[in-house]
Amino acid sequence: LVRTLRAAKVIDANDDWAAGAAHLVQLGDVLDRGPDSRKAMDLLMRLEGQAAKAGGRVHPLLGNHEAMVLSGYLAYMSPDELATFGGPEGLKQALGADGTYGRWIRGHNTVIRIDDTLFLHGGLSPAYARRPLREINDAARRELGTDADAGVTGDTAGPLWYRGLADGLDDELEALLKPALEAHRASRIVVGHTVTKGNPVARAGGRLVMVDVGMSRVYGGPAACLVIEKGRLFEARPEGTRELPVPAPAAPAGKPT
């Protein structure tokens, strides 16, 4: 995470905010991804305050793993990660409603729009595409810490779990994306959750961008992230920055390309 944020010029060599009025969006799943989740949360929490003073913002969003851990499901949490919280009881306190990390996570949004871009962990399925963002966010926050399998945080078609956009065929994507983009007056949707082959991937003419490069040690992916600058899409890595190739959207079935 540190190497990625440095590569994007979000933080300096001292790991302090260096991006001025920029916005940093973290798409969730900080928990369950190795022994350093507590350090990662501490960094993001500190950057929130620094960014605000500089006129910027840090937007940590909910992932399905935050929802699972807060509900008590710890199957993906490694012993080393658990130990950093002092074991199961320490974790319960830290992530409880009155715990430092629990209060912080319970304040997260699930989906946000910045300028003309929607950001969320999984994706907006047809069942959620036209729901107001505030309604989705409020419902998810109410459910955190409960066993809400059928709610926003547990629904497999919900915004924390849905893979239909990431797994959709190119000639299906336009129809899948259209309801959400129209409803929320957006030009693109940026999602995590579904791991790519190591690079942020733009699809459907850049209207869908998949950014989960598997950067944790669990997946062995690179230190890389998406940068959006004046509507252009870039990939930032420690070795350099490149503009993302944006393929033309697939032609509708039955019509000439």
Side-chain angles (χ1 to χ4, degrees), residues 31-47:
L31 293 170
D32 286 346
R33 288 295 178 261
D36 294 328
S37 59
R38 187 169 186 168
K39 290 181 181 179
M41 290 191 292
D42 287 340
L43 174 60
L44 290 168
M45 293 166 72
R46 182 165 58 82
L47 291 177

Side-chain angles (χ1 to χ4, degrees), residues 158-171:
L160 302 186
W161 293 89
Y162 182 62
R163 297 187 192 272
L165 299 180
D167 290 343
L169 300 175
D170 287 346
D171 57 0

Side-chain angles (χ1 to χ4, degrees), residues 71-218:
S71 72
Y73 187 78
L74 307 182
Y76 292 93
M77 184 163 281
S78 69
D80 289 341
E81 182 180 13
L82 191 60
T84 65
F85 293 94
E89 189 57 36
L91 178 73
K92 183 178 180 180
Q93 292 180 7
L95 296 182
D98 296 323
T100 299
Y101 303 105
R103 288 196 308 271
W104 182 65
I105 293 172
R106 283 169 174 81
H108 289 5
N109 284 313
T110 297
V111 52
I112 60 173
R113 190 190 71 186
I114 300 175
D115 296 329
D116 62 344
T117 302
L118 291 171
F119 296 90
L120 73 160
H121 182 69
L124 286 175
S125 69
Y128 289 83
R130 298 188 182 277
R131 288 180 64 174
L133 303 188
R134 183 183 295 276
E135 179 183 301
I136 294 173
N137 291 327
D138 288 348
R141 280 192 287 266
R142 286 195 302 270
E143 294 168 12
L144 287 174
T146 69
D147 188 17
D149 287 342
V152 170
T153 58
D155 187 353
T156 56
L160 302 186
W161 293 89
Y162 182 62
R163 297 187 192 272
L165 299 180
D167 290 343
L169 300 175
D170 287 346
D171 57 0
E172 298 173 339
L173 268 181
E174 291 298 322
L176 287 171
L177 291 165
K178 185 177 179 180
L181 294 177
E182 285 185 347
H184 304 293
R185 301 185 305 281
S187 298
R188 70 179 65 85
I189 299 177
V190 176
V191 300
H193 191 47
T194 301
V195 179
T196 71
K197 293 181 179 180
N199 302 92
V201 175
R203 301 179 61 194
R207 286 189 277 280
L208 174 69
V209 189
M210 301 165 55
V211 301
D212 188 339
V213 299
M215 62 180 280
S216 75
R217 292 190 183 96
V218 172

Side-chain angles (χ1 to χ4, degrees), residues 3 53 107 172:
R3 289 193 295 123
K53 290 179 180 178
E172 298 173 339

Side-chain angles (χ1 to χ4, degrees), residues 245-256:
V246 178
K255 294 186 178 181

Side-chain angles (χ1 to χ4, degrees), residues 1-12 16-20 22-25 47 200 215 223-229 234-242:
L1 175 62
V2 168
R3 289 193 295 123
T4 302
L5 296 180
R6 288 178 181 173
K9 298 181 173 56
V10 169
I11 61 175
D12 60 21
D16 290 319
W17 182 261
H23 289 241
L24 167 65
V25 183
L47 291 177
M215 62 180 280
C225 67
L226 173 72
V227 175
I228 303 176
E229 184 72 35
F234 300 88
E235 175 188 8
R237 292 178 177 237
E239 56 267 31
T241 299
R242 70 178 184 104

